[in-house]
């Protein structure tokens, strides 16, 4: 596995479109020849976001080269080979039977993303071709039925394979999951551009970062003060020339003023200087080859961490999803304090684009003092007539 001359490689291909433009796709090659079935699946994962297909492909290349090292082809692999691969990721090479047990080479979360890529591939192969892979759980054996985006594992069906391979040896990373008002103010006052502050403030309205970066200029209405993304997890993406089916969110006036200033200054200057006319709301401002092109997640994540450093916060505890968690708790606090406002779970589901109220649980802060005090006051108010 240490030989640089790998059989399977990830290669970036350029394709010419009918309109004489260029589109780029990542494909896996087998001895420099593109693989048909696997690249079909990678393309299906790239339809909404090319980077999604790329991330899946990178993990499959590692898996395919591992199979090659043990003399197995992917279309003849079984669950035993998948488990062996997961062991390889977690323990490293078993040279002279010495396990690297003090520190895993890849933490369980990362290994889980590999497992998701593999199982999703074989599920697709099972529907379109033939495969020897089945998906094993503690109570049953069957083919996986769920689809997971962004490499996250939400089902114990898949997690069981990891759990049987290695107990967690690293503690979970600690993040700031819910921003206080002071933390929000500190971050907002330390961004270096209007664009970066606007992106952050939109996440505080409950949007995922991928939704924010997908927003297009046409989907922001400065008059009605509303905005909507062009893609959203688990939903059909908006298509050019058609009505956007994704949820619309009303924005505070202060945020709209910030967005308007960004559009009229930083964004307009970047478009004029680069000559690139972009549909995306948030574009690169720096005067280099990327100016005018859409702002990417990795770029913004680095910007957010540097901002946290300037604001006196621990950048290691900062993540892009905390704005959404914070907004959920704002709804839940309002729900507890003012039930007369009619903010039901159904309203929250609609606002966040969820199909089930169970999704709220993952964002709830069970140590929230506002809700605890509201419940206590209601209970004592009811008992007040009895002089309790």
């Amino acid at each position: 596995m240490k030989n640089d001359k790998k059989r399977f490689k990830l290669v970036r291909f350029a394709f010419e479109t009918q309109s004489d433009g260029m589109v780029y796709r990542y494909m896996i090659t087998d001895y420099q020849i593109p693989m048909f079935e696997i690249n079909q699946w990678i393309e299906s994962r790239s339809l909404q976001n090319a980077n999604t297909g790329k991330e899946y492909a990178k993990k499959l290349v590692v898996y395919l080269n591992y199979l090659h090292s043990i003399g197995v082809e992917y279309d003849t692999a079984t669950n035993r080979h998948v488990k062996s691969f997961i062991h390889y990721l977690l323990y490293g090479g078993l040279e002279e039977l010495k396990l690297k047990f003090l520190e895993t080479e890849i933490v369980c979360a990362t290994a889980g993303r590999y497992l998701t890529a593999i199982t999703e591939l074989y599920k697709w192969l099972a529907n379109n071709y033939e495969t020897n892979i089945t998906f094993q759980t503690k109570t049953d054996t069957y083919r996986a039925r769920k689809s997971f985006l962004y490499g996250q594992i939400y089902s114990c069906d898949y997690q069981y394979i990891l759990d049987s391979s290695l107990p967690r040896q690293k503690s979970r990373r600690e993040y700031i999951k819910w921003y206080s008002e002071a933390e929000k103010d500190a971050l907002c006052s330390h961004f270096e551009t209007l664009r970066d502050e606007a992106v952050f403030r939109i996440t505080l309205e409950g949007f995922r970062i991928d939704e924010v970066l997908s927003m297009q200029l046409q989907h922001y209405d400065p008059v009605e003060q509303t905005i909507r993304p062009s893609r959203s997890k688990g939903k059909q993406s908006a298509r050019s020339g058609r009505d956007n089916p994704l949820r619309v969110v009303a924005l505070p006036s202060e945020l709209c003023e910030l967005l308007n200033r960004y559009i009229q200054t930083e964004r307009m200057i970047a478009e004029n200087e680069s000559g690139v006319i972009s549909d995306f709301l948030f574009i690169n401002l720096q005067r280099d080859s990327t100016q005018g092109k859409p702002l990417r997640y990795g770029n913004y994540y680095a910007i957010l961490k540097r901002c946290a450093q300037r604001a006196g916060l621990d950048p290691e505890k900062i993540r892009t999803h905390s704005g959404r968690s914070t907004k959920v708790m704002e709804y839940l606090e309002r729900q507890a304090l003012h039930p007369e406002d009619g903010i039901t779970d159904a309203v929250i589901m609609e606002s966040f684009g969820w199909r089930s109220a169970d999704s709220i649980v993952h964002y709830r802060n069970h140590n929230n003092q506002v809700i605890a005090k509201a419940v206590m006051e209601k209970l004592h108010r009811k008992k007040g007539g009895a002089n309790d």
Side-chain angles (χ1 to χ4, degrees), residues 211 245 342 360 379:
E211 292 175 333
I360 301 174
L379 289 173

Side-chain angles (χ1 to χ4, degrees), residues 177-181 184 200-208 247 249-252 255 319 321-335 343 348 351-352 354 360 363-365 368:
K177 191 170 182 178
W178 301 278
Y179 291 121
S180 66
E181 290 299 321
K184 287 191 286 187
F200 177 71
R201 285 188 179 276
I202 293 179
T203 65
L204 292 177
E205 295 305 313
F207 285 104
R208 302 178 181 91
R247 73 187 189 281
V249 172
L251 300 177
L255 176 51
R319 60 176 197 159
H321 207 60
S322 296
R324 187 170 169 88
S325 302
T326 302
K327 191 65 176 180
V328 173
M329 285 311 303
E330 288 183 12
Y331 271 84
L332 294 177
E333 287 179 4
R334 189 75 184 182
Q335 189 182 63
I343 300 179
I348 297 176
S351 300
F352 289 86
W354 289 325
I360 301 174
Y363 293 83
R364 184 187 295 274
N365 181 1
N368 184 277

